[in-house]
Amino acid sequence: MFELAPLIDIPFDRRHQCWFCGEPSSMQLSYTKEHYTPHPSLMVPACKECFKIAKQHKLTSIWDCKMAVKDELMRIYEKHLAIGVNWTKQELEESEFEDKVFGGFKKSAWMMYEIARDRVNYPAWPLSLNGVPLEDFGYGADFSFDGVNYSSVTQAIKFYAKQFVLDKRFLEDIISIVGKQRFGFAIRVAQINIAATPELKRQVINDLKLENQD
Ligand SMILES: [Zn+2]
């Protein structure tokens, strides 16, 4: 017997967005429950690219799947993301390429960076089916990340900040907004903004606060 998985609830202001990255959605990814899946079968709206990636990385839950999609997006758009890691917008504007051709290149390079960054940063809305929120089992549990257990989140932050030479305070601020269950996401945000000015970092924090309000 074949039953279509129910579509998750979609907030009105996100009704055309990919659940994974926020790009316009044109597909629906069906996630079928296996005996170990901590949530019912469901369907999420997705853009073509995330749909393709997600289908190959279903893992053990829709949340793991989402992490895998973000990791893949980061890998695919590594060069675009590096633009923002290596340059600030102002530096790019003030750089030597004054030629009209290069001027166009700079503009589109920055745009590509912003698009890739926003897709990786995009916070998926919390899952619910017919108004009933789905608990994200395991994500609020004792802190372990990437197969490693830490005595506390603080310890993990310390470790990662050192490993990746990240701004520890910035990383802490991000985690305090997005929550420890999204530690990997927080690390990525800190990595993407590794060379950002203090002003841009404040902007990132403000954006995250806004996105995490609802
Ligand atoms: Zn997408």
Side-chain angles (χ1 to χ4, degrees):
M1 198 174 72
F2 180 76
E3 237 182 294
L4 207 59
L7 183 65
I8 58 162
D9 300 336
I10 303 171
F12 186 74
D13 59 336
R14 303 205 191 187
R15 65 198 180 283
H16 300 305
Q17 294 179 9
C18 167
W19 183 71
F20 298 96
C21 79
E23 285 285 291
S25 64
S26 58
M27 321 280 285
Q28 289 183 336
L29 177 87
S30 171
Y31 195 106
T32 310
K33 178 181 168 60
E34 304 290 344
H35 68 277
Y36 51 76
T37 312
H39 56 74
S41 293
L42 46 81
M43 223 158 33
V44 296
C47 69
K48 269 190 187 143
E49 189 172 26
C50 292
F51 178 83
K52 211 173 126 197
I53 301 169
K55 253 174 59 178
Q56 294 164 354
H57 298 88
K58 288 204 165 175
L59 302 172
T60 56
S61 76
I62 189 71
W63 300 292
D64 295 327
C65 177
K66 184 184 70 184
M67 293 300 264
V69 168
K70 300 270 184 181
D71 285 346
E72 270 300 284
L73 287 177
M74 268 205 94
R75 196 183 59 75
I76 294 166
Y77 294 103
E78 198 179 359
K79 288 205 175 86
H80 294 181
L81 292 167
I83 292 163
V85 171
N86 297 322
W87 299 82
T88 64
K89 193 176 188 182
Q90 196 184 7
E91 279 170 353
L92 212 55
E93 278 165 359
E94 290 169 356
S95 66
E96 290 160 31
F97 310 118
E98 293 306 332
D99 188 285
K100 278 203 173 107
V101 176
F102 284 109
F105 161 78
K106 282 190 295 183
K107 209 174 160 189
S108 68
W110 190 259
M111 211 174 78
M112 286 190 301
Y113 159 66
E114 286 185 326
I115 291 170
R117 181 200 59 194
D118 292 349
R119 292 182 70 193
V120 171
N121 285 355
Y122 180 80
W125 61 91
L127 294 178
S128 66
L129 287 171
N130 298 316
V132 181
L134 299 185
E135 195 184 325
D136 58 346
F137 294 99
Y139 279 71
D142 282 340
F143 198 70
S144 99
F145 181 73
D146 222 8
V148 180
N149 287 307
Y150 298 91
S151 62
S152 66
V153 181
T154 318
Q155 196 204 31
I157 291 172
K158 216 169 125 187
F159 174 79
Y160 272 88
K162 199 179 163 200
Q163 285 297 307
F164 294 109
V165 201
L166 301 172
D167 178 340
K168 189 163 155 274
R169 181 62 206 274
F170 183 49
L171 182 57
E172 282 171 358
D173 288 347
I174 298 166
I175 289 168
S176 70
I177 297 164
V178 303
K180 65 178 178 180
Q181 71 276 17
R182 297 178 71 204
F183 193 81
F185 170 77
I187 296 280
R188 287 196 292 272
V189 172
Q191 282 178 319
I192 292 167
N193 295 289
I194 200 160
T197 58
E199 193 196 354
L200 181 62
K201 282 177 182 169
R202 272 197 300 277
Q203 184 60 47
V204 170
I205 293 294
N206 284 337
D207 288 349
L208 284 172
K209 276 182 186 160
L210 284 176
E211 283 163 350
N212 284 272
Q213 261 172 4
D214 44 351

